[in-house]
Amino acid sequence: LRRRSRMGSRYSFGYFSTKKAGRRADKMVIDDFLSIDDRYDIDKKNLAINIFNNVLQSRVHNPEKMKWVIVGHRLADNDLIGHVIENKREKWEYLKLPAEFNSKKRCSTSIGWTDWRKDDGELLFPKLYNADRMMTIKETTTPDDYAALYDQEPVKEGGSKFKREWFGRWRFTDETCRFISLTNPFTQESETLP
């Protein structure tokens, strides 16, 4: 999609489309580069990073004056935003606005902007997401999804689930001593099976 004005032209295309080649830019906005359905798909995440590194960055007029904006929820620790934070931190500004304020993680930028909220738990946009709605979201969303979508702090893959290193092998020497103990992480109820 192309739009023209006295200020110049604007081209819009899907992140994964093939219409990026042949065009150059002075400013680029990347919005919601990855679907939430693809957040665990390592191939799609790597493709998004590859497009950014090898296609979009070669489509600029002047790399020193280029302006970039990446907008989106954090979906995984190794998503495009995570990649930029980890590899290009000195040239990027990370504006993080969690749905619920955490004073220990207040966001400030180099241009003097600071998250205006003062009290822990204060909502980002209470007219749209009031306390009742946020409570419903918390009750119907997994902790991993909430951390990524609302706190903007995705959990490392496998980070809040079962980790391989938690499990080991045991050799039982007494046949009468075999049991399994299970604890539901959401209700904290335990059950021991013979």
Side-chain angles (χ1 to χ4, degrees):
L1 176 65
R2 180 179 181 176
R3 298 193 185 229
R4 290 177 185 237
S5 74
R6 286 181 289 191
M7 301 296 290
S9 297
R10 180 184 83 187
Y11 292 93
S12 302
F13 50 81
Y15 194 75
F16 295 102
S17 84
T18 58
K19 299 185 181 202
K20 295 175 282 297
R23 310 243 190 261
R24 295 205 176 274
D26 295 312
K27 298 175 183 86
M28 204 169 299
V29 177
I30 302 167
D31 186 12
D32 289 332
F33 52 88
L34 192 66
S35 164
I36 190 167
D37 298 330
D38 297 327
R39 68 189 160 162
Y40 298 123
D41 186 332
I42 192 70
D43 293 331
K44 287 249 175 99
K45 287 187 285 191
N46 286 339
L47 179 59
I49 291 168
N50 185 49
I51 289 170
F52 177 77
N53 284 342
N54 300 315
V55 178
L56 297 181
Q57 290 197 33
S58 69
R59 304 282 91 210
V60 302
H61 286 291
N62 183 339
E64 298 304 315
K65 294 184 177 182
M66 180 65 182
K67 305 295 182 210
W68 295 89
V69 176
I70 301 175
V71 179
H73 291 287
R74 291 299 314 275
L75 297 175
D77 66 309
N78 56 352
D79 63 11
L80 178 60
I81 295 172
H83 169 76
V84 169
I85 290 169
E86 186 174 319
N87 296 292
K88 302 172 186 309
R89 181 177 292 271
E90 70 283 348
K91 294 184 179 183
W92 287 77
E93 193 77 44
Y94 181 43
L95 176 61
K96 176 180 156 188
L97 297 171
E100 296 178 279
F101 181 64
N102 180 340
S103 59
K104 293 178 183 150
K105 298 179 180 181
R106 180 185 304 271
C107 181
S108 296
T109 68
S110 64
I111 61 169
W113 183 91
T114 299
D115 194 329
W116 64 91
R117 297 174 286 176
K118 299 198 180 349
D119 300 322
D120 283 342
E122 190 173 342
L123 300 177
L124 178 63
F125 193 22
K127 288 182 180 178
L128 182 61
Y129 288 93
N130 62 32
D132 290 338
R133 187 166 183 193
M134 289 307 298
M135 183 59 68
T136 300
I137 289 169
K138 278 185 173 179
E139 290 170 353
T140 58
T141 306
T142 68
D144 286 2
D145 288 348
Y146 190 86
L149 295 170
Y150 296 95
D151 286 339
Q152 302 299 305
E153 291 193 357
V155 176
K156 280 191 170 291
E157 288 183 28
S160 68
K161 296 182 176 45
F162 296 110
K163 296 181 181 180
R164 182 179 297 272
E165 61 267 17
W166 292 354
F167 296 91
R169 292 184 171 262
W170 295 274
R171 182 167 292 165
F172 292 97
T173 57
D174 182 354
E175 289 293 322
T176 63
C177 194
R178 291 190 178 171
F179 64 89
I180 298 174
S181 179
L182 304 172
T183 302
N184 182 327
F186 299 105
T187 65
Q188 298 302 316
E189 293 176 9
S190 294
E191 181 178 346
T192 300
L193 304 174

